[in-house]
Amino acid sequence: KRHKGSGVVVFSGAQEQALTRKHAIERALVSCDLEDEMYTVFQPIVELRSRRIVGFEALGRWANPQLGEISPMSFIPLAERTGQITAISRILLRKSLKALKDWPDDVYVSVNLSAHDIANSESIIRLLGVVNESGANPERIDFEITETAIVQDFEQAKTALNMLRNLGANVALDDFGTGYSSLSYIHRLPFNKIKVDRSFVAEIESSGSSFKIVKSLLMLCNDMGLKAIAEGVETADQLRVLRQLGCNKVQGYYFSRPMPAEDVLPFLDRFDAH
Ligand code: C2E
Ligand code: CA
Ligand code: CA
Ligand code: CA
């Protein structure tokens, strides 16, 4: 479209539509009922040696009456800008731990945190409060944190991660291998798990370098006593290669897409029967 008179091309129709939706999402986020509309879906994490589901990753979802389902890829960055992310994280953590109550004791839940959640002790203390109020065993909770959440303030991140570990929870470095300093973080911070990013898994057969990277990452984790989980496994071939490399925990569409809380127990029953 052209601005009348200026003669300058501003936006294509598609770009304009995307922007309108983005603005609508932003407006809805600040006025919506977060408590009502935010919920989590759960994706199984499978242990290969025991052929068991050992945990589920909780992934945030937003269902808005006007806008429908909104992806975390769009609402999480917006919520980080508006400052609502810490409230959303607490709501999602509480709902995840409520779901966890119904699961077998040997199944854990893995919750994603944002940079803002670990940016000050105040927000960490409030998250610890949610865990305490839920009555959940902290040993059954993993917190996933990406490298971008750490680069902002290393010392603060270290304090926050120690608070989570002292509670008894596990802390996983998410999207491992995609950032610039993952290697230095894993030995300077109290992580006890890492999640190998799905971009490596996606290319594990087609790219010799991805294969070698995953192989080295798994060896490194093994040497350092860190548990590794490979993300984004979509095919039997990817699974076979990961198994050959000694990877013991995997997650991906090959086993299941994320599912609503009410599907978790039936899914566990069906999986056990195999
Ligand atoms: P992530 O933490 O790396 O989560 C994995 C994403 O990959 C999820 O997308 C999941 O549905 C998707 N996925 C799982 N298996 C496969 C697979 O086999 N193939 C492919 N192509 N994708 C797979 P989702 O749920 O859309 O979440 C996207 C990202 O949004 C997450 O990436 C995470 O960074 C962020 N996110 C999601 N939920 C939350 C949350 O509650 N809090 C925060 N802070 N961030 C969240
Ligand atoms: Ca994650
Ligand atoms: Ca990830
Ligand atoms: Ca990711």
Side-chain angles (χ1 to χ4, degrees):
K1 276 179 194 163
R2 288 174 188 277
H3 263 315
K4 284 196 186 82
S6 74
V8 178
V9 175
V10 181
F11 290 120
S12 72
Q15 281 172 323
E16 199 169 279
Q17 255 176 25
L19 259 186
T20 309
R21 173 148 173 102
K22 196 177 163 213
H23 288 145
I25 291 175
E26 214 165 347
R27 274 196 308 275
L29 187 66
V30 291
S31 62
C32 79
D33 184 343
L34 293 175
E35 184 65 50
D36 252 26
E37 297 177 22
M38 295 285 165
Y39 67 103
T40 50
V41 290
F42 299 94
Q43 187 179 38
I45 299 165
V46 178
E47 188 175 72
L48 296 177
R49 279 195 282 275
S50 63
R51 296 169 181 272
R52 275 188 55 234
I53 292 173
V54 288
F56 286 84
E57 179 174 0
L59 294 153
R61 295 289 182 267
W62 177 22
N64 181 262
Q66 278 78 46
L67 296 166
E69 288 281 331
I70 299 144
S71 154
M73 309 274 252
S74 62
F75 76 78
I76 298 283
L78 286 180
E80 285 174 337
R81 276 225 318 271
T82 63
Q84 289 166 292
I85 186 67
T86 51
I88 292 173
S89 298
R90 285 194 298 275
I91 291 168
L92 294 177
L93 176 62
R94 200 168 33 68
K95 292 191 176 182
S96 300
L97 297 181
K98 185 166 176 276
L100 178 71
K101 268 195 182 145
D102 296 332
W103 302 354
D105 287 343
D106 54 0
V107 177
Y108 69 87
V109 70
S110 199
V111 177
N112 292 281
L113 294 183
S114 260
H116 295 252
D117 296 316
I118 62 163
N120 55 70
S121 298
E122 167 75 31
S123 54
I124 284 288
I125 287 166
R126 294 185 71 177
L127 287 170
L128 300 187
V130 173
V131 174
N132 285 330
E133 276 165 30
S134 77
N137 177 357
E139 288 170 16
R140 291 177 68 198
I141 309 170
D142 285 12
F143 289 99
E144 301 190 7
I145 294 157
T146 60
E147 191 179 306
T148 41
I150 296 155
V151 286
Q152 310 193 351
D153 184 346
F154 182 85
E155 283 309 316
Q156 170 51 36
K158 192 170 171 182
T159 305
L161 267 50
N162 273 318
M163 288 168 80
L164 296 171
R165 287 300 303 276
N166 289 338
L167 180 73
N170 300 292
V171 183
L173 180 57
D174 202 356
D175 301 347
F176 186 53
T178 56
Y180 293 108
S181 18
S182 302
L183 286 180
S184 72
Y185 288 148
I186 56 169
H187 79 100
R188 288 161 70 211
L189 289 166
F191 287 107
N192 59 341
K193 298 192 183 184
I194 67 124
K195 299 194 78 172
V196 177
D197 192 69
R198 83 176 131 89
S199 56
F200 300 112
V201 174
E203 294 187 336
I204 201 164
E205 297 163 288
S206 60
S207 145
S209 59
S210 282
F211 175 87
K212 285 176 192 154
I213 289 170
V214 174
K215 187 179 171 186
S216 318
L217 291 181
L218 291 172
M219 272 167 46
L220 181 73
C221 288
N222 191 47
D223 287 348
M224 296 187 69
L226 294 159
K227 292 188 176 122
I229 299 122
E231 298 189 306
V233 179
E234 293 184 355
T235 69
D237 285 333
Q238 289 166 350
L239 183 64
R240 184 179 40 76
V241 177
L242 286 164
R243 206 191 290 267
Q244 273 168 13
L245 292 178
C247 181
N248 192 31
K249 287 202 189 89
V250 290
Q251 186 184 343
Y253 293 166
Y254 179 73
F255 297 99
S256 172
R257 296 205 170 232
M259 63 188 84
E262 61 267 27
D263 290 355
V264 166
L265 287 178
F267 188 88
L268 282 172
D269 281 343
R270 262 184 288 128
F271 199 86
D272 279 347
H274 273 109

